[in-house]
Amino acid sequence: MARKRKQDTEPGLFSETELQQTAPHDAHELYNFIFEACNIIRGPVSQDNFKDYITPLLYYKRISDVYDEETQAALDYSGGDEEYASLPEMHRFEIPEGCHWNDIRQRSENLGAAIVGAMRKIELANPDTLYGVLSIFSAQKWTDKSVLSDGKIRDLIEHMSKRKLGNNDYPADLMGDAYEILLKKFADDSKAKAGEFYTPRSVVKLLVNILDPQPGETVYDPACGSGGMLIEAVHHMHNDDLCCGSIFGQEKNVTNQAIAKMNLFLHGATDFNIMQGDTLREPKILQGGQLATFDCVIANPPFALTDWGAKEWDTDNYQRNWWGNPGDGCGDYAWIEHMVRSMKPCNGRLAVVMPQGVLFRGQGKEPEIRKNMVESGLVEAVVTLGEKLFYGTGLSPCFLILRQTMPADHSNHILMIDGSKIFTPKRAQNILEPKDIDRLYQLYADYKDVEDYAAVVSLDDIRAKDYLLSPSSYIHYHEDEVEPYEVVHKRFLDAYNEMKRCEATFKQLMKVS
């Protein structure tokens, strides 16, 4: 008999601070348990590939355990009626016969093939929700016994079987936070490749706070990676019921798209649309044959993409080239143009992370595009960040805030913030602690000149500097007053003479004694 899971009733997501106050031990304890699974396969599997094994297995176990909880709840309610407990209405996901975790646990050989087969059947049984979530992970990796023997996979299965991972044991917010810790660990281990799927949570929190999405508003990330920005938006809206159906993303990397779906599910999101594909060449989230538009657009797209589709951009069906074609050498401004076209006409706003080169580079059409962007009147703020905050790049990033409708006192001005010194240094990777996030956010919210940190600059001033957008070119920095040579020389002579006088007095005292 097929198995299905019903809609979970799960508590609202905790904020990061609330998590630390209520159950920090549980989240890290769960992370440690999951990471021990990584240690089981360490050696045969490189750390760069841990997520390809642990991520689908974690989600598969979660689905099975929540199904068991729902079955037991239905049995308790019905007085032990097994037929009632198996009704589709009692379950959220269908688990075909023979595909439950416990079924795989009973197998004695060809375990990799059994896991792959079960995950594929679960996907096929749930096409509206799970398509591309489990089977996207390489079947070849799971079935290659020269990498993972049946014995190793058995050890992995038995380790994961030591704990129940259902909602009664770990609610979605806690499960999701433990998974986020795991993703960060994967990023720590893989470094250069990590930027494809992991944006520091502190940076994400800052951008979401600035955009301030409200329940009922739509949020879109065109380069969503592991889904961190979308998850933070759900957190920000306190997991309100109005979030359902309002979360959208697209991701080129098929593995990262699957991780994004899993991550959203594990954080309790239940109705979202994450598409797989090349956003610049083939945007997938459309409405009436045109780009869909959203209240909040947020992204940390890949920096300095080459061969991103400049030729097609000249005749783009969605008119995203309205400021110009940046050329195949660098796709940074193509992402910005796409995101601007994805904003709703009245209330739309966007936050995008970029390399600082977009603020001043003179290559190709970029100066013209930058000029057109400034003259559009949509740019509200430019913020530079400190070094070594992001994985996989030595560049110091920045982010831009654009709005379709500006507050009256922001029109014809751009807020420039130099946040390059606002971070907490660490040995390997600098971080933004809560105090750093608060400081940067306050500089944005205050919208005023602050010596060394911020300046509100008129468009005329920017035109005068040939549309340069580097905050350091506009902010007033404190300089110690340089005293004239004559004053310094006199102070030196006075001090020298005082020293000679004291020396003479000391010698006189020595003679007397």
Side-chain angles (χ1 to χ4, degrees):
M1 185 175 294
R3 301 175 171 123
K4 278 192 155 227
R5 275 185 7 184
K6 68 180 177 180
Q7 179 79 23
D8 303 309
T9 302
E10 297 176 343
L13 297 178
F14 293 127
S15 69
E16 188 170 27
T17 300
E18 290 170 332
L19 178 66
Q20 291 170 349
Q21 291 173 345
T22 57
H25 176 69
D26 287 343
H28 284 275
E29 180 186 48
L30 178 57
Y31 153 74
N32 288 333
F33 170 74
I34 298 170
F35 193 68
E36 275 303 308
C38 298
N39 290 331
I40 289 171
I41 60 175
R42 187 183 299 276
V45 177
S46 69
Q47 57 194 21
D48 288 347
N49 291 317
F50 282 169
K51 67 179 185 294
D52 295 335
Y53 293 91
I54 302 305
T55 298
L57 205 63
L58 171 65
Y59 198 55
Y60 179 25
K61 180 67 160 58
R62 170 79 165 178
I63 287 174
S64 296
D65 286 350
V66 173
Y67 174 85
D68 289 345
E69 288 180 351
E70 292 168 345
T71 298
Q72 188 59 51
L75 289 171
D76 292 343
Y77 179 79
S78 64
D81 188 337
E82 293 186 4
E83 184 176 356
Y84 174 83
S86 68
L87 290 173
E89 293 80 4
M90 297 298 103
H91 303 280
R92 179 177 164 191
F93 296 140
E94 181 177 343
I95 301 181
E97 195 67 31
C99 294
H100 189 279
W101 178 272
N102 289 334
D103 297 322
I104 302 303
R105 195 179 180 191
Q106 300 305 313
R107 294 287 295 265
S108 59
E109 58 183 8
N110 298 324
L111 294 177
I115 290 171
V116 169
M119 292 194 297
R120 282 181 173 170
K121 289 179 180 178
I122 290 172
E123 271 198 3
L124 291 173
N126 301 274
D128 295 336
T129 52
L130 293 181
Y131 179 76
V133 174
L134 294 170
S135 68
I136 206 67
F137 292 90
S138 173
Q140 183 179 0
K141 289 181 178 179
W142 276 104
T143 56
D144 186 349
K145 293 186 179 183
S146 67
V147 176
L148 274 189
S149 65
D150 279 339
K152 278 289 183 184
I153 297 178
R154 167 64 60 200
D155 291 343
L156 199 55
I157 291 172
E158 290 307 309
H159 173 75
M160 295 297 290
S161 298
K162 291 177 181 177
R163 292 194 185 196
K164 294 290 186 181
L165 300 179
N167 286 322
N168 293 341
D169 308 287
Y170 298 102
D173 58 294
L174 195 61
M175 189 79 175
D177 277 300
Y179 184 63
E180 281 284 298
I181 298 170
L182 189 68
L183 285 180
K184 184 181 184 303
K185 178 61 179 174
F186 291 152
D188 288 337
D189 288 342
S190 60
K191 298 299 182 187
K193 296 181 181 180
E196 293 181 11
F197 68 94
Y198 186 83
T199 302
R201 189 169 180 176
S202 56
V203 175
V204 175
K205 185 180 290 291
L206 174 61
L207 298 184
V208 171
N209 284 346
I210 288 173
L211 292 187
D212 191 25
Q214 297 298 305
E217 290 190 319
T218 51
V219 183
Y220 168 56
D221 184 343
C224 66
S226 64
M229 290 188 170
L230 298 174
I231 289 164
E232 187 57 41
V234 175
H235 272 267
H236 187 84
M237 293 184 278
H238 306 293
N239 204 32
D240 192 283
D241 289 342
L242 292 175
C243 293
C244 290
S246 66
I247 303 299
F248 300 83
Q250 184 166 337
E251 169 58 34
K252 181 178 180 180
N253 183 290
V254 293
T255 300
N256 293 344
Q257 182 230 9
I259 289 175
K261 286 185 174 183
M262 291 184 193
N263 207 3
L264 281 157
F265 274 125
L266 290 174
H267 277 89
T270 56
D271 187 4
F272 50 81
N273 186 4
I274 306 297
M275 302 295 288
Q276 189 275 320
D278 187 330
T279 300
L280 296 182
R281 284 190 168 91
E282 189 181 2
K284 294 286 186 69
I285 302 180
L286 307 175
Q287 188 172 17
Q290 296 299 314
L291 287 182
T293 57
F294 307 89
D295 297 292
C296 295
V297 184
I298 185 170
N300 173 24
F303 292 175
L305 272 184
T306 58
D307 190 26
W308 54 270
K311 183 177 180 180
E312 298 93 327
W313 204 253
D314 278 331
T315 56
D316 182 61
N317 292 331
Y318 309 104
Q319 293 81 49
R320 293 175 293 175
N321 56 3
W322 63 328
W323 289 339
N325 188 334
D328 250 340
C330 180
D332 291 338
Y333 269 105
W335 284 107
I336 295 174
E337 289 182 297
H338 171 83
M339 293 175 70
V340 169
R341 281 299 195 194
S342 300
M343 285 195 294
K344 280 190 174 179
C346 295
N347 194 45
R349 55 227 190 251
L350 76 79
V352 58
V353 179
M354 283 279 135
Q356 289 190 26
V358 302
L359 307 179
F360 57 79
R361 280 194 305 246
Q363 64 192 47
K365 295 289 186 67
E366 286 200 359
E368 178 187 346
I369 298 173
R370 186 163 52 246
K371 171 185 175 181
N372 292 336
M373 182 176 70
V374 171
E375 293 294 350
S376 73
L378 298 176
V379 183
E380 182 185 38
V382 175
V383 183
T384 54
L385 297 173
E387 61 181 1
K388 294 199 302 183
L389 289 172
F390 285 69
Y391 293 102
T393 176
L395 300 174
S396 296
C398 67
F399 64 85
L400 286 69
I401 305 297
L402 284 76
R403 292 182 183 271
Q404 291 282 20
T405 303
M406 293 283 186
D409 58 341
H410 294 193
S411 295
N412 297 313
H413 291 81
I414 296 177
L415 173 65
M416 303 284 187
I417 297 176
D418 181 356
S420 60
K421 299 294 188 290
I422 302 176
F423 63 84
T424 300
K426 298 293 182 180
R427 186 180 64 179
Q429 197 81 28
N430 295 330
I431 63 170
L432 293 178
E433 290 189 341
K435 63 180 177 60
D436 304 317
I437 299 172
D438 292 344
R439 176 67 171 138
L440 287 164
Y441 180 79
Q442 200 60 49
L443 287 168
Y444 166 79
D446 289 345
Y447 202 84
K448 65 181 182 181
D449 293 350
V450 178
E451 188 177 56
D452 295 332
Y453 293 104
V456 178
V457 184
S458 72
L459 295 193
D460 283 338
D461 288 339
I462 294 172
R463 292 181 187 112
K465 292 198 175 185
D466 202 22
Y467 298 95
L468 179 67
L469 290 180
S470 298
S472 59
S473 298
Y474 300 96
I475 292 170
H476 174 72
Y477 294 93
H478 173 75
E479 295 180 3
D480 292 328
E481 183 179 353
V482 179
E483 293 182 303
Y485 170 78
E486 295 80 8
V487 175
V488 176
H489 186 251
K490 182 178 183 302
R491 187 184 303 118
F492 171 76
L493 289 177
D494 289 345
Y496 180 77
N497 290 332
E498 176 65 13
M499 182 272 291
K500 297 295 287 183
R501 186 190 66 77
C502 289
E503 184 179 39
T505 301
F506 177 73
K507 288 180 178 179
Q508 186 63 36
L509 290 172
M510 291 296 290
K511 289 179 181 178
V512 171
S513 61

